[in-house]
Amino acid sequence: MRNIVSIIVSFILTFNLYPQQQSNWQNFADMKSTKDIISTNNGIWAASNGGAYFYDIVTNSFNIFSKSSGLNGTELTAVGIDSYGKVWFGSVNGMIDVYSPETNSFKSILDIFNSDKISKQINDITISGDTVYVATDFGISLIDSKSYFFYDTYFKFGTFTSNIKVNSIIVSDLIYAATELGIAIQKAGATNLSAPESWNVYDQANGLPAGGGNVIIFYNGNLIAGTNSGLYSFNGTSWLPF
């Protein structure tokens, strides 16, 4: 669903933004490839390979954000909105930019960007309460949305290899993660999530196809994993084609 909306927004951007560029000599990045979106009551925020933009559904207009606007990351891969209305953008190189609509300014978080990890891409941003869950190419990092302080990172889930690529996260009663090897689900009652045994993991032995999970969502009460071979639904113990 997210990819379908992304395509629609990209078409809107192509036909509405380009005519404005003909008479204005400005620095416009190529934003046709939308990587992630999130909707609000009055519009849609999008992360693209050329920066960020906001589509206002009321005025049918776009607000473009690039380096000239204070955005440090340009090849963006993820977007999320916290409870304070701040918009979080993740990039392919691990840089995080947080936009405050109240002050019309950006704050850059460079902890992942400056880390010694070889692959630092941010693949998903999910926010619950004051915690920002950042899915990366090496695990899940947790950030306080008020202080911007990193207070934990989960590198290993069950029997999956350490520093595994996490593609998607959802948080409800538990934390659910789609990884390159399969699905990891927090065990009920587990509190020390840095411990591998705090997670149940599911792979081909539990019905998932090879290639792991690309995205995970709840749909009509069902836990659904999107894979390279289609959608799979969880019945509590195993995964079945959906």
Side-chain angles (χ1 to χ4, degrees):
M1 177 65 70
R2 176 179 289 180
N3 288 337
I4 294 174
V5 178
S6 298
I7 293 172
I8 295 173
V9 173
S10 296
F11 274 117
I12 295 173
L13 181 61
T14 301
F15 289 107
N16 287 275
L17 177 61
Y18 284 166
Q20 300 173 23
Q21 297 181 21
Q22 303 301 322
S23 59
N24 294 280
W25 289 95
Q26 299 183 37
N27 181 23
F28 286 105
D30 185 358
M31 298 189 182
K32 293 191 296 298
S33 181
T34 302
K35 303 299 184 180
D36 195 14
I37 64 169
I38 190 166
S39 62
T40 66
N41 291 332
N42 58 342
I44 298 171
W45 284 97
S48 81
N49 63 341
Y53 60 88
F54 177 73
Y55 172 64
D56 191 316
I57 60 177
V58 176
T59 62
N60 190 32
S61 62
F62 289 91
N63 195 2
I64 310 300
F65 300 90
S66 61
K67 280 190 174 295
S68 61
S69 312
L71 180 69
N72 276 319
T74 53
E75 192 172 347
L76 303 181
T77 50
V79 59
I81 299 179
D82 66 23
S83 57
Y84 305 100
K86 295 176 297 185
V87 188
W88 293 65
F89 295 101
S91 66
V92 70
N93 61 4
M95 191 174 292
I96 297 175
D97 287 297
V98 185
Y99 174 70
S100 171
E102 184 177 345
T103 61
N104 189 31
S105 63
F106 282 93
K107 176 179 176 58
S108 295
I109 303 175
L110 306 178
D111 299 61
I112 296 175
F113 175 77
N114 289 329
S115 72
D116 59 359
K117 299 299 180 182
I118 297 175
S119 185
K120 308 174 184 182
Q121 178 168 306
I122 294 170
N123 303 307
D124 191 20
I125 295 176
T126 297
I127 300 171
S128 178
D130 286 335
T131 301
V132 181
Y133 296 82
V134 182
T136 72
D137 275 1
F138 55 83
I140 301 174
S141 289
L142 278 60
I143 308 173
D144 186 290
S145 62
K146 293 185 294 185
S147 66
Y148 307 110
F149 176 70
F150 278 71
Y151 60 87
D152 212 343
T153 296
Y154 309 143
F155 296 105
K156 184 163 174 57
F157 309 90
T159 57
F160 288 167
T161 56
S162 296
N163 294 288
I164 192 171
K165 179 181 180 181
V166 179
N167 296 312
S168 175
I169 312 170
I170 53 174
V171 181
S172 57
D173 54 330
L174 303 172
I175 302 173
Y176 305 80
T179 80
E180 61 183 339
L181 293 180
I183 305 300
I185 302 177
Q186 173 191 352
K187 290 182 179 179
T191 55
N192 179 20
L193 301 188
S194 294
E197 60 269 19
S198 295
W199 300 84
N200 289 318
V201 293
Y202 305 88
D203 53 20
Q204 290 173 265
N206 310 104
L208 287 170
N214 299 323
V215 66
I216 189 164
I217 63 167
F218 275 106
Y219 176 72
N220 285 346
N222 297 307
L223 182 62
I224 305 295
T227 75
N228 292 334
S229 301
L231 302 178
Y232 283 75
S233 175
F234 187 56
N235 65 9
T237 57
S238 59
W239 295 82
L240 302 171
F242 181 73

